[in-house]
Amino acid sequence: MNLPLGAEILELGGTYTTCGFLNQHPELYGESTKKLGLGVQVGLQNVIIKNLRIQGNCLGFRSDLERALNIATIHGAPFPVEREFSFADIEGFINESFFDRSKLGKVVMRMRQPEPAE
């Protein structure tokens, strides 16, 4: 969790979404873990002062993703797709995904050409 830096750079009312935390595996613990307590305290101060939200996001298992993709294939995507990019335009995908705040739906990067419908 990089809460201290995230809370510092977020705008008022922003949301910090995390799918993990710093040194989440015992083999990765290092010197930075010892300083984590103070950093989290400073980060939480910014959360309160700036009216931020912290959103946890469990990415799940491969089977979760496969099930979601199967449902979307059968029933259609239950969410709006804002724009699709080819793998060749990865820079456009990253810019639209992470920096364009005006989008409503999901941004999709196609890893290969879709197969023609039968």
XYZ file of all heavy atoms in Angstrom, residues 6-7 10 19 38 47 54 64 81 90 93-94 105 107-108 116:
113
model
N 0.132 8.283 -2.303
C -1.163 8.389 -2.979
C -2.038 9.461 -2.364
O -2.643 10.277 -3.069
N -2.118 9.497 -1.046
C -2.963 10.489 -0.360
C -2.420 11.897 -0.544
O -3.171 12.858 -0.592
C -3.074 10.146 1.121
N -3.427 12.955 -4.393
C -4.834 12.955 -4.792
C -5.473 14.322 -4.575
O -5.127 15.044 -3.646
C -5.626 11.911 -3.997
C -5.549 10.487 -4.509
C -6.188 9.545 -3.501
C -6.215 10.345 -5.856
N -4.882 -2.729 -4.481
C -5.103 -4.172 -4.602
C -4.038 -4.936 -3.834
O -3.853 -6.122 -4.021
C -5.124 -4.594 -6.068
S -3.578 -4.281 -6.915
N 4.664 5.146 10.473
C 4.646 6.600 10.404
C 4.083 7.072 9.063
O 3.288 8.002 9.007
C 6.060 7.156 10.606
C 6.183 8.682 10.525
C 5.297 9.350 11.587
C 7.626 9.102 10.690
N -5.894 11.681 4.195
C -7.212 11.114 3.884
C -8.298 11.936 4.576
O -9.310 12.289 3.977
C -7.289 9.628 4.297
C -8.726 9.125 4.265
C -6.414 8.771 3.390
N -10.692 5.421 0.622
C -9.786 4.306 0.358
C -10.652 3.136 -0.094
O -11.577 2.734 0.595
C -8.986 3.907 1.618
C -8.148 5.092 2.104
C -8.106 2.701 1.316
C -7.447 4.826 3.415
N -11.933 -16.520 -11.609
C -12.868 -15.393 -11.529
C -12.880 -14.622 -12.845
O -13.942 -14.263 -13.362
C -12.482 -14.437 -10.390
C -12.562 -15.078 -9.026
O -13.442 -15.941 -8.825
O -11.757 -14.717 -8.157
N -18.305 0.281 -22.891
C -16.918 0.292 -23.344
C -16.687 1.641 -24.003
O -17.331 1.986 -24.987
C -16.622 -0.862 -24.329
C -15.213 -0.735 -24.897
C -16.807 -2.208 -23.636
N -0.318 0.872 -27.329
C -0.319 0.729 -25.873
C -0.211 2.093 -25.181
O -0.776 2.305 -24.119
C 0.792 -0.237 -25.416
C 0.571 -0.628 -23.954
C 2.171 0.329 -25.642
C 1.357 -1.822 -23.514
N -3.641 3.515 -25.012
C -4.399 2.768 -24.008
C -4.073 3.247 -22.600
O -4.956 3.500 -21.783
C -4.096 1.273 -24.145
C -4.632 0.450 -23.016
C -5.976 0.113 -22.962
C -3.799 0.015 -21.994
C -6.488 -0.641 -21.911
C -4.290 -0.750 -20.945
C -5.640 -1.076 -20.900
N -2.796 3.382 -22.294
C -2.379 3.817 -20.953
C -2.858 5.233 -20.679
O -3.387 5.521 -19.607
C -0.852 3.685 -20.799
C -0.482 2.195 -20.747
C -0.359 4.420 -19.562
C 0.990 1.909 -20.796
N -16.921 4.767 -19.538
C -16.851 3.307 -19.562
C -15.439 2.773 -19.449
O -14.501 3.477 -19.113
N -11.926 1.003 -20.780
C -11.014 1.112 -21.906
C -10.415 -0.278 -22.110
O -9.939 -0.893 -21.170
C -9.912 2.154 -21.628
C -8.951 2.250 -22.797
C -10.535 3.510 -21.341
N -10.471 -0.770 -23.333
C -10.086 -2.145 -23.637
C -8.868 -2.147 -24.549
O -8.798 -1.380 -25.498
C -11.248 -2.887 -24.338
C -10.841 -4.284 -24.749
C -12.482 -2.895 -23.453
N -13.611 -13.488 -36.659
C -14.857 -13.110 -37.312
C -16.040 -13.903 -36.754
O -15.918 -15.090 -36.442
C -14.631 -13.431 -38.779
C -13.298 -14.055 -38.900
C -12.641 -14.072 -37.573
